[in-house]
Amino acid sequence: DAQESRGLGDVYKRQCMQCAVHGELQRALWPKGRFTRYLRRSHSQEKKNMQGQPEVIECLIELLRGELAARDQYFIHSRQYEDQGLLRLFERIGHEMEEETQHADAILRRILFLGGRPDMRPHEFTPGETVEEMLRKDLATEYRVRDSLRSAMALCERHSDFNSRDLLLAQLRDTEEDHAYWLEKQLGLIEKIGLPNYLQSKMGEPA
């Protein structure tokens, strides 16, 4: 299943590259300034069509608050790992924090595009204390984000907001194939080799 998911991800990346190349060809072939005007008209038309869906906007606002909470949780956990000398965990969780920030940024921009007013208050959370507790809390957060993204995608489809749906689909892939998968693997390692051995493997400079 993991191999199939990676294969689908490769196809998705190739499609994105093809779209980018196609866009550059259009830019080169069209008269100067015409392609830019076309993009602006397309953007304006979509914005006009997509305004007036308060249910979608409200859902995106809640997703944004969840992503901000996930970012902050990863932030405090990464610093706790650093303080304990677990630099490999510090680096990895710092990377997760950056990706959650990118997710929040994309949702924030979409809310603004649709005419909404973002709520920048993160959902409340309680950070973990021990290494295993921090990993479990992060995994629980990823599961909540996954479920919220799936529900939001279904809502977007009902309102024919396929651009928002596709944005959330990309984030769902990050959540399922990267974030949650890695956390599940760490907890599995602790169960197999024991916590002391796991902690020893996470000390020292990042690989």
Side-chain angles (χ1 to χ4, degrees):
D1 291 342
Q3 184 176 1
E4 181 181 354
S5 296
R6 287 193 293 271
L8 290 173
D10 292 339
V11 170
Y12 177 73
K13 290 177 182 177
R14 286 197 296 270
Q15 289 175 341
C16 290
M17 291 177 64
Q18 290 169 358
C19 289
V21 171
H22 179 66
E24 289 302 319
L25 286 173
Q26 283 186 310
R27 190 186 300 275
L29 293 173
W30 285 26
K32 185 176 181 181
R34 185 177 173 188
F35 186 69
T36 300
R37 290 194 297 273
Y38 164 76
L39 290 178
R40 287 174 179 169
R41 284 198 303 272
S42 298
H43 179 87
S44 298
Q45 186 62 39
E46 187 203 359
K47 190 165 186 176
K48 180 180 178 182
N49 292 340
M50 294 313 305
Q51 281 181 325
Q53 300 293 346
E55 193 177 3
V56 170
I57 293 173
E58 186 62 32
C59 181
L60 292 175
I61 290 172
E62 285 303 304
L63 285 177
L64 173 61
R65 295 187 65 194
E67 292 291 346
L68 292 172
R71 176 205 63 187
D72 290 351
Q73 182 168 292
Y74 279 130
F75 188 19
I76 180 61
H77 286 173
S78 71
R79 272 42 183 182
Q80 288 176 211
Y81 289 137
E82 182 184 33
D83 183 64
Q84 296 176 38
L86 303 171
L87 299 185
R88 292 178 181 176
L89 284 175
F90 161 68
E91 181 187 52
R92 175 67 194 214
I93 297 303
H95 166 74
E96 301 294 347
M97 178 190 69
E98 291 171 0
E99 288 206 344
E100 297 298 345
T101 303
Q102 292 169 5
H103 289 177
D105 180 55
I107 295 173
L108 169 60
R109 291 171 184 269
R110 188 65 184 169
I111 292 168
L112 292 172
F113 177 81
L114 295 175
R117 298 188 64 181
D119 185 342
M120 302 303 292
R121 296 172 300 164
H123 287 154
E124 291 186 6
F125 70 94
T126 303
E129 296 182 6
T130 67
V131 169
E132 189 169 0
E133 186 181 13
M134 285 188 279
L135 291 170
R136 291 192 182 280
K137 280 182 174 287
D138 287 341
L139 182 57
T141 295
E142 292 298 338
Y143 286 159
R144 283 195 298 273
V145 169
R146 177 197 62 189
D147 293 343
S148 296
L149 286 170
R150 288 175 175 171
S151 297
M153 287 171 58
L155 176 66
C156 290
E157 287 192 351
R158 289 199 297 273
H159 288 284
S160 299
D161 185 351
F162 302 113
N163 286 324
S164 292
R165 179 205 61 188
D166 291 346
L167 180 151
L168 300 179
L169 175 59
Q171 297 193 6
L172 179 62
R173 286 171 174 156
D174 280 344
T175 298
E176 291 184 330
E177 298 175 13
D178 183 15
H179 303 185
Y181 173 78
W182 183 84
L183 289 163
E184 290 167 345
K185 188 175 179 180
Q186 303 314 298
L187 291 167
L189 280 173
I190 291 175
E191 188 174 334
K192 283 183 178 180
I193 66 176
L195 183 60
N197 289 331
Y198 177 80
L199 296 178
Q200 182 66 32
S201 71
K202 299 303 177 182
M203 292 181 177
E205 293 298 322

